[in-house]
Amino acid sequence: MNFLGEAYLLETDTACELYDVIAESPILDPHSHADVVEIVENDGWNDVWEVEAATDHYVWAAMRKRGVDEELITGDAPNREKWNALATVFPEFAGNPTYEWIHLDLKRRFGIETPISAETADEIWQETKRQLQRIDMQPQELLREMDVEVICSTDDPTSKLEYHERAVDEVSGVDIRPTWRADRAVNIETPPWNDFVDELADSTGTATDDFDGFLDALATTHDFFQEHGCRASDLGIHEPVSRPVSKTRARTIYRKEREGRSLSEREIGDFKAFMLEYIGELNVENGWVTQLHIGPLRDYRTKLYERIGSASGGTVSTQRIEIAENIRHFMNVFDEECEIVLYCVDPTQYPTITTISRAFPNVSVGAAWWFNDSSFGMEHQLDYMGSVDLLANHAGMVSDSRKLLSYGSRFEMFRRSLANVVGNHVERGRIPIEVAHDLVEHIAYDRPKKLFGF
């Protein structure tokens, strides 16, 4: 089989037929880390390192594993030297999805089919640098060329969304929406929490000296995001906590933390449980989807975190968290009240989130996430989820990416994986081909469009 050829990831003629049905479907991306400033300013990039690696911790982690010095990854070395270092070890990435994604980007966006290596580094650098000067390689043009219909960024509640406002007038053909990311409001045990409370007061003009003011200020930001087209909240959780907690109890914990007194583990858990339920109530009022990203143990490698900070490639996965019992109260409080999408970072937790989805009509399994967003991980998840819940209930693909060029390649990998999974069902006599056509089209486009209300 040719590298990234027409049958890439497609094992049968039926899979090829099904991929043809969805290959050109517009992209709906309900969860990304899009740089809205980059899109609106539309200045483009200077070189292939900026495009492919400057913001991609998947690339960084793989380079570290192959012995590349940090100065040539996130340090101050010139981009040309960083690209050469990446190209030198890139053949050793084979088998990892990063190898495919970047080659897909080069092939689909630049027309470059030459494999990346030390020998081809200069050729690819020069050719991509030349093409990046063209108007049609600017961010807005590329989004239109990839047929990105909707993209949702991830935004702190205190954001003024100035660039989202500009995008309405300055970006045509692409609907750019914010997502209300509430981690900093919930994580009372982290040092930046008090800073967030002060920023929230400044951004809303609402005093947050007391708990009622804090809640009112959060609600103000929620409504502000609603006015700017937001359709979902998002919350990153290591281990969920959900149980009945009174407002009086939460108020006491709030006051204690604001006064600088230490909190017990129970108090931290109670505050998080109250806030999770409060966020759910806000989402019901505005008709939003509640997205919960569960499981990552962030910043696990201390040296890396201290040198570079979060989102640098030092997060790990663990089986040792409780999901079912810990989220039971929340699921029952919001049973049929609002749409909920569950993502988990550890594939051993698919049975838990999938059976929860099976039990609640308003709950959906989200895309295979983080360490699982490879063809292997996607197919595994789709096969399991479809056998227990319903494939038609899958929430669809998200890019979860900071890198604009990756939207096309990640969605292509998902669509090919989806076509392969459903194609195998057809080949085994489990699904009629006509039903398979409708199913892949539904998951690739219709389902996320309806679920998120785009």
Side-chain angles (χ1 to χ4, degrees):
M1 180 183 291
N2 293 334
F3 176 51
L4 302 181
E6 291 185 11
Y8 165 59
L9 299 181
L10 306 173
E11 297 174 311
T12 65
D13 290 342
T14 303
C16 292
E17 177 181 336
L18 293 175
Y19 178 65
D20 286 342
V21 172
I22 57 177
E24 303 301 324
S25 296
I27 289 175
L28 304 173
D29 191 355
H31 175 69
S32 82
H33 295 274
D35 185 342
V36 182
V37 175
E38 175 182 76
I39 295 170
V40 172
E41 296 290 354
N42 207 35
D43 291 331
W45 306 272
N46 294 308
D47 56 62
V48 67
W49 176 267
E50 286 186 13
V51 170
E52 292 292 355
T55 63
D56 192 339
H57 58 79
Y58 287 72
V59 173
W60 303 348
M63 291 178 73
R64 292 182 191 118
K65 288 300 293 183
R66 300 315 302 152
V68 177
D69 189 271
E70 195 66 38
E71 180 69 10
L72 294 166
I73 303 173
T74 61
D76 295 328
N79 285 359
R80 180 63 180 271
E81 293 181 18
K82 291 179 177 180
W83 168 252
N84 287 346
L86 173 61
T88 298
V89 298
F90 206 74
E92 298 161 20
F93 288 16
N96 184 281
T98 302
Y99 187 82
E100 297 159 62
W101 287 326
I102 293 183
H103 277 120
L104 275 174
D105 290 345
L106 293 181
K107 184 171 183 175
R108 301 289 185 249
R109 309 278 83 83
F110 295 94
I112 296 173
E113 300 193 30
T114 306
I116 302 167
S117 67
E119 292 72 30
T120 63
D122 184 65
E123 170 192 347
I124 294 172
W125 173 274
Q126 297 293 351
E127 177 59 19
T128 52
K129 193 170 184 63
R130 182 187 68 79
Q131 291 196 40
L132 286 169
Q133 308 311 306
R134 302 197 320 243
I135 292 177
D136 63 352
M137 294 299 286
Q138 292 175 331
Q140 293 179 27
E141 290 297 324
L142 282 169
L143 287 172
R144 286 189 284 268
E145 191 264 328
M146 289 186 285
D147 202 7
V148 177
E149 184 176 308
V150 180
I151 189 166
C152 297
S153 58
T154 301
D155 306 275
D156 190 88
T158 62
S159 173
K160 294 296 185 182
L161 303 180
E162 306 100 317
Y163 277 86
H164 287 83
E165 292 178 350
R166 285 183 56 182
V168 173
D169 298 321
E170 299 178 33
V171 182
S172 62
V174 184
D175 189 359
I176 302 174
R177 295 170 180 255
T179 299
W180 195 75
R181 180 78 181 228
D183 295 32
R184 289 212 298 155
V186 174
N187 294 333
I188 193 170
E189 79 281 15
T190 62
W193 181 81
N194 271 294
D195 293 337
F196 170 79
V197 174
D198 294 336
E199 290 171 28
L200 183 65
D202 291 340
S203 67
T204 62
T206 302
T208 56
D209 299 329
D210 60 42
F211 189 49
D212 287 331
F214 173 72
L215 297 181
D216 289 345
L218 274 179
T220 296
T221 68
H222 202 278
D223 289 340
F224 179 68
F225 273 58
Q226 170 80 355
E227 293 166 6
H228 287 75
C230 183
R231 300 299 307 136
S233 74
D234 192 20
L235 184 63
I237 309 170
H238 171 55
E239 185 169 23
V241 184
S242 170
R243 54 186 176 240
V245 176
S246 70
K247 189 174 182 180
T248 299
R249 167 72 169 163
R251 181 184 290 112
T252 299
I253 298 167
Y254 180 89
R255 185 184 306 117
K256 189 174 179 180
E257 176 62 27
R258 289 295 279 168
E259 291 172 355
R261 293 181 285 154
S262 61
L263 302 179
S264 68
E265 287 297 317
R266 180 69 191 195
E267 288 172 320
I268 291 168
D270 282 352
F271 185 82
K272 289 186 171 186
F274 180 90
M275 291 306 301
L276 179 60
E277 193 167 335
Y278 181 69
I279 289 167
E281 292 168 357
L282 294 177
N283 289 350
V284 170
E285 290 175 12
N286 280 332
W288 289 6
V289 176
T290 301
Q291 297 181 104
L292 302 178
H293 282 82
I294 300 171
L297 184 55
R298 297 178 185 274
D299 308 322
Y300 184 79
R301 186 180 172 202
T302 304
K303 183 184 291 185
L304 192 64
Y305 173 70
E306 290 175 348
R307 177 170 179 176
I308 303 168
S310 289
S312 57
T315 295
V316 302
S317 171
T318 174
Q319 297 173 320
R320 298 188 63 182
I321 63 169
E322 172 58 43
I323 296 177
E325 285 302 325
N326 281 9
I327 209 168
R328 185 174 189 171
H329 173 72
F330 181 84
M331 289 299 164
N332 282 284
V333 167
F334 295 100
D335 186 357
E336 297 188 317
E337 292 295 314
C338 68
E339 295 289 349
I340 299 169
V341 179
L342 300 178
Y343 306 84
C344 67
V345 76
D346 195 304
T348 63
Q349 291 151 0
Y350 287 155
T352 300
I353 68 168
T354 302
T355 51
I356 291 172
S357 175
R358 176 188 173 106
F360 291 88
N362 61 313
V363 178
S364 302
V365 174
W369 177 42
W370 208 328
F371 307 118
N372 308 301
D373 59 359
S374 62
S375 58
F376 169 81
M378 292 171 184
E379 292 192 17
H380 170 221
Q381 189 213 40
L382 289 167
D383 269 328
Y384 179 80
M385 185 262 178
S387 70
V388 175
D389 192 3
L390 297 172
L391 269 177
N393 198 56
H394 194 276
M397 179 57 175
V398 301
S399 74
D400 190 33
S401 181
R402 293 169 171 77
K403 192 167 70 178
L404 188 144
L405 257 68
S406 70
Y407 304 149
S409 56
R410 294 199 180 190
F411 273 80
E412 178 175 344
M413 183 179 282
F414 172 76
R415 291 172 180 179
R416 287 179 178 272
S417 300
L418 172 64
N420 200 54
V421 167
V422 178
N424 284 335
H425 289 322
V426 174
E427 291 289 326
R428 297 177 66 193
R430 301 189 66 213
I431 302 176
I433 187 63
E434 309 81 33
V435 172
H437 277 232
D438 292 342
L439 182 59
V440 296
E441 205 165 20
H442 173 78
I443 297 170
Y445 183 78
D446 297 334
R447 167 68 173 155
K449 185 159 190 170
K450 181 177 181 180
L451 176 64
F452 287 90
F454 294 142

